[in-house]
Amino acid sequence: MAWWRRKKDALERPEPGGKVSVPAGLWTKCDSCSEITYTEELVQNLRVCPVCGHHHVMPTDERIATTVDPGSWVEHHEQLCSGDPLEFTDSKRYKDRLVAATRKSGRNDAFVCGTGRIDGVEASLGFFAFEFMGGSMGSVVGEKVTLVFERALEQGIPALVFSASGGARMQEGILSLMQMAKTSAARAKLREAGLPYISVLLHPTTGGVAASFAFLGDLIIAEPRALIGFAGPRVIQQTIGQELPEGFQRSEFLLEHGMIDRIVSRLEMRDQIGLLLRLLGFGEDIPRANQTMTDGVIIRDDAGAS
């Protein structure tokens, strides 16, 4: 029988009232270029858009897994959780907000700290969990950041903090603002000991976090197009009554004006950090025992300054 005379079978139709739906989360639309990407492929690409390079929000567990060498991560102080010394209440009680944030994120607070190796180099590490109350810094976050620096000082290893925060946590009032001084003092002790601190700024890094330890790194790295600053651009524009420059408070603007040292794509972050740690004298390439560090300059005892 000729193909044009052949009867076509009727297409299968769903049962009356039935619906054909795509599973939620199967596809992800890029916030920058609107390209639709298979979510699994996006995750494999570290949540970087394969078309335009836009960096999507990355969950903390994924960031730790892609930054630290497999099997080397050891989390510390995960049991620390915030109290409510001020018995603060706005539209709802602070205690209730903490319970809801813990249930939603699976974490006790907005910061994860521990030790692990990056490209074989042991380091004291801290990661903001933006999924917990916008990564806001309260007493627990300040304590954990301080412990990152103190552990680096105790073990003689470099410190790294990956910051993504909306700033100080208003529900803890002055107690949250005190963390700016506390963390900065701990960071100063690390500098006095000649141990490096690399600060990695993610989107967004704002408020009291940006105004304290986030900008006190020996090296300050940022992801592309990250929003970085103290107050948001909308607040600044309303305050000064002027139009802000194009790209104001983005990584590229800060690099151009000397506020950060370099912009590194998430796809290259682990390799770049490993390289920087080795250039700072850590790892197998340069024996740490034969060198000291003064004001960020590595001095080899057996070969003079370098």
Side-chain angles (χ1 to χ4, degrees), residues 126-139:
F127 300 85
F128 270 83
F130 194 79
E131 56 267 29
F132 189 102
M133 298 186 69
S136 53
M137 180 174 64
S139 301

Side-chain angles (χ1 to χ4, degrees), residues 93 97 99 140 146 180 184 204 208 213 232 252 285 302:
R93 297 191 307 168
R97 291 189 183 277
V99 171
V140 168
T146 300
M180 298 171 63
S184 297
F213 59 87
E252 293 75 13
D285 296 344
D302 56 350

Side-chain angles (χ1 to χ4, degrees), residues 97-248:
R97 291 189 183 277
L98 291 172
V99 171
T102 300
R103 186 181 299 114
K104 178 181 178 181
S105 65
R107 302 192 179 279
N108 287 329
D109 217 287
F111 195 81
V112 182
C113 65
T115 52
R117 293 188 298 275
I118 300 179
D119 197 19
V121 179
E122 189 75 16
S124 180
L125 304 164
F127 300 85
F128 270 83
F130 194 79
E131 56 267 29
F132 189 102
M133 298 186 69
S136 53
M137 180 174 64
S139 301
V140 168
V141 172
E143 176 67 11
K144 284 190 172 184
V145 172
T146 300
L147 289 169
V148 168
F149 296 138
E150 290 181 345
R151 186 172 296 106
L153 184 61
E154 178 183 349
Q155 299 184 15
I157 56 179
L160 290 92
V161 175
F162 292 74
S163 299
S165 172
R169 190 174 300 171
M170 59 163 288
Q171 290 87 350
E172 295 189 21
I174 189 63
L175 298 177
S176 65
L177 297 178
M178 289 169 60
Q179 307 310 310
M180 298 171 63
K182 176 178 178 178
T183 54
S184 297
R187 188 274 174 272
K189 292 182 178 180
L190 198 66
R191 179 185 292 273
E192 291 172 2
L195 293 168
Y197 160 46
I198 298 178
S199 178
V200 183
L201 310 182
L202 312 175
H203 175 76
T205 300
T206 58
V209 172
S212 55
F213 59 87
F215 267 97
L216 294 178
D218 295 301
L219 290 169
I220 303 176
I221 302 172
E223 286 190 343
R225 294 290 300 164
L227 176 65
I228 303 166
F230 182 66
R234 178 177 55 84
V235 174
I236 295 175
Q237 186 165 322
Q238 291 176 348
T239 301
I240 65 176
Q242 298 179 13
E243 291 292 328
L244 299 176
E246 183 68 24
F248 180 72

